[in-house]
Amino acid sequence: MSWHLLTLNVTVKDGERALLTRNGQLVRVLAPGRHRLFDPLHELKAEVLDVVRTEFSAERYAVLKAARPDLAAELFEAVETRADEIAIVSLDGRPVHLMTPWQVRVYWKVATRIDVERIDVSSDPKIDARHLSMIERNRSAVSSETVVENHEAGLLYVEGRLVERLAPGRHAFWTVGRKIEVKRLDLRPQAVEITAQEMLTRDRIALRVTLTAFRKVVDPERTVATVPDVDAWLYRLVQFAIREAVAGRTLDEVLSAKAALDAELRDYVRARVAEAGVEVTELGVKDVILPGEIRELVTRWWRRSGSPRRT
C-alpha cells in the first residue's frame, strides 16, 4: 500500500482481501488485484487481511454487521453456540475448532468452505466415535474418556445418579454443564490378607491371628451403593468376626479346631458380604501368633504329646 500524488495504490494478492475505510468508516472490500484509488486528502486506509482458513474478530464483525449487513453476509460465516450446545467447525473439510456453549467465532468464507456440526449435549452425554475422532484430545474441559477392561464393570454416574453399566471398551462423554463419573470395579477374585489386632482367648491368652480371604464382586451396582471400599470393609468385618470367635474359645480350641473356626468365620462373613454384592469364596486362618513364652510352652507340650505342631 502506497500513496502517489493524489492516489492510494493497493495490491491485494490471491487469498487476501482489503478492508477500505475512509476516516475510520468502511467503504468497501477490495478483491485480489491492483487498485488505484483517488485520495487527494489521504483519508483512505486499506487493511490487507489473509482470508484462507482464518478467523475474523467477532467484535469487528458485530460492528460491520450493524453498518453493512450485506457485506457481513457475503464475506463471513458467524458461528454462535447456545446453552448445552457444542459445535465442531471444519475448514475445507478438516475439523479445526471445538466450540463450547455461548461462544461466537467468525470465519472468512470467500476462499474457504465452512462446515459446522452442532451437537445438543443436554440429553445424551455420550460422544459417538465419529465426533470423538473430530475433536481435539486435549479439550478435557468439555469431555472425559475412560476405558473399561474385559475384567471390569464400569458404572456411569451423571450428577451422582447411576445411569447405566458400560460394556468393556472405550467410552467418552461430554462434561459440559454436568458432572460425569465412571466407577470401575475389578470383577476378578482378589486376595485380601488380614492381620487381626492382639486379642484374648477365653482362658485369657493373648494372641494374634492372620487370615486370607478371597473375595469377588458379583453385583457391582449393589457394591458401589453399599460400601465405599470393598477391601477395607471386608478387612474390618473379618477382624471383628475373628475377635468374637477367639474370645469364645480357649487357646487349645483355637489351635486344635482350625477347620471349625474357619467354617464359622466363612458363614458369618458370607452372610454379610452377600448383602453388598460381594462373594467370599475362601476364608481361613493362615497363622496363629503367640507371645514368645507361650509359644515355647506350647511347643514343648506338642513334643511331649508326640502330636504334630499346629502353630
Side-chain angles (χ1 to χ4, degrees):
M1 181 179 66
S2 62
W3 277 274
H4 181 68
L5 296 178
L6 303 179
T7 63
L8 171 65
N9 300 321
V10 181
T11 299
V12 182
K13 301 176 183 178
D14 288 336
E16 295 179 337
R17 294 294 186 276
L19 300 182
L20 183 66
T21 58
R22 184 187 301 277
N23 296 326
Q25 292 185 327
L26 181 67
V27 177
R28 61 192 175 101
V29 177
L30 303 180
R34 298 181 64 185
H35 304 269
R36 297 184 63 189
L37 307 167
F38 184 64
D39 184 24
L41 301 179
H42 290 188
E43 296 174 330
L44 295 177
K45 181 179 179 181
E47 182 183 4
V48 180
L49 300 172
D50 185 5
V51 298
V52 179
R53 294 190 287 275
T54 58
E55 289 188 66
F56 187 72
S57 166
E59 290 76 14
R60 294 184 67 183
Y61 169 80
V63 174
L64 174 63
K65 183 179 179 182
R68 295 290 302 274
D70 56 329
L71 276 180
E74 177 186 346
L75 301 174
F76 303 105
E77 179 79 25
V79 183
E80 184 173 358
T81 53
R82 301 183 298 272
D84 299 321
E85 185 178 61
I86 294 290
I88 300 175
V89 181
S90 297
L91 305 181
D92 289 332
R94 179 183 177 184
V96 175
H97 294 134
L98 175 65
M99 295 178 58
T100 57
W102 302 120
Q103 276 194 324
V104 179
R105 300 184 86 149
V106 181
Y107 302 88
W108 286 95
K109 67 178 182 180
V110 292
T112 304
R113 189 179 87 250
I114 312 296
D115 297 308
V116 181
E117 183 156 2
R118 299 178 181 274
I119 306 166
D120 184 356
V121 298
S122 59
S123 55
D124 187 358
K126 293 182 180 179
I127 305 176
D128 64 39
R130 186 171 64 85
H131 290 151
L132 188 61
S133 66
M134 295 171 70
I135 67 176
E136 300 173 18
R137 297 299 175 82
N138 60 350
R139 297 307 298 266
S140 58
V142 296
S143 65
S144 65
E145 294 184 44
T146 190
V147 174
V148 179
E149 304 291 346
N150 283 324
H151 59 268
E152 293 179 326
L155 304 181
L156 173 62
Y157 287 80
V158 179
E159 298 291 358
R161 181 175 62 86
L162 176 61
V163 174
E164 66 175 290
R165 180 171 174 177
L166 303 174
R170 181 184 177 201
H171 303 271
F173 308 94
W174 299 113
T175 57
V176 175
R178 60 169 64 87
K179 178 183 178 182
I180 298 289
E181 183 181 10
V182 176
K183 297 181 180 180
R184 295 160 49 194
L185 285 82
D186 196 324
L187 302 180
R188 295 173 297 185
Q190 303 289 320
V192 181
E193 298 293 327
I194 300 138
T195 301
Q197 298 174 351
E198 188 173 278
M199 61 193 74
L200 294 176
T201 63
R202 194 174 65 194
D203 48 358
R204 311 301 292 175
I205 302 297
L207 53 78
R208 296 172 65 89
V209 178
T210 59
L211 307 97
T212 300
F214 286 88
R215 60 86 176 162
K216 180 180 180 181
V217 174
V218 294
D219 188 339
E221 291 84 354
R222 181 181 295 183
T223 300
V224 170
T226 306
V227 292
D229 186 327
V230 174
D231 288 341
W233 173 67
L234 178 61
Y235 195 101
R236 290 191 296 269
L237 182 62
V238 173
Q239 278 193 327
F240 176 80
I242 189 62
R243 181 175 294 275
E244 292 295 305
V246 168
R249 288 174 166 82
T250 64
L251 176 60
D252 183 59
E253 290 171 338
V254 171
L255 297 176
S256 61
K258 180 179 177 299
L261 179 60
D262 289 349
E264 181 180 323
L265 291 173
R266 281 194 297 270
D267 291 343
Y268 178 89
V269 172
R270 283 174 175 171
R272 284 154 182 79
V273 299
E275 300 174 359
V278 179
E279 179 183 276
V280 171
T281 56
E282 296 292 336
L283 173 61
V285 174
K286 182 179 179 182
D287 196 12
V288 178
I289 306 171
L290 300 170
E293 64 276 9
I294 299 298
R295 186 165 58 249
E296 292 176 5
L297 291 174
V298 171
T299 301
R300 287 199 298 268
W301 184 86
W302 283 117
R303 287 173 178 171
R304 287 198 304 269
S305 66
S307 301
R309 189 177 175 182
R310 306 295 294 273
T311 64

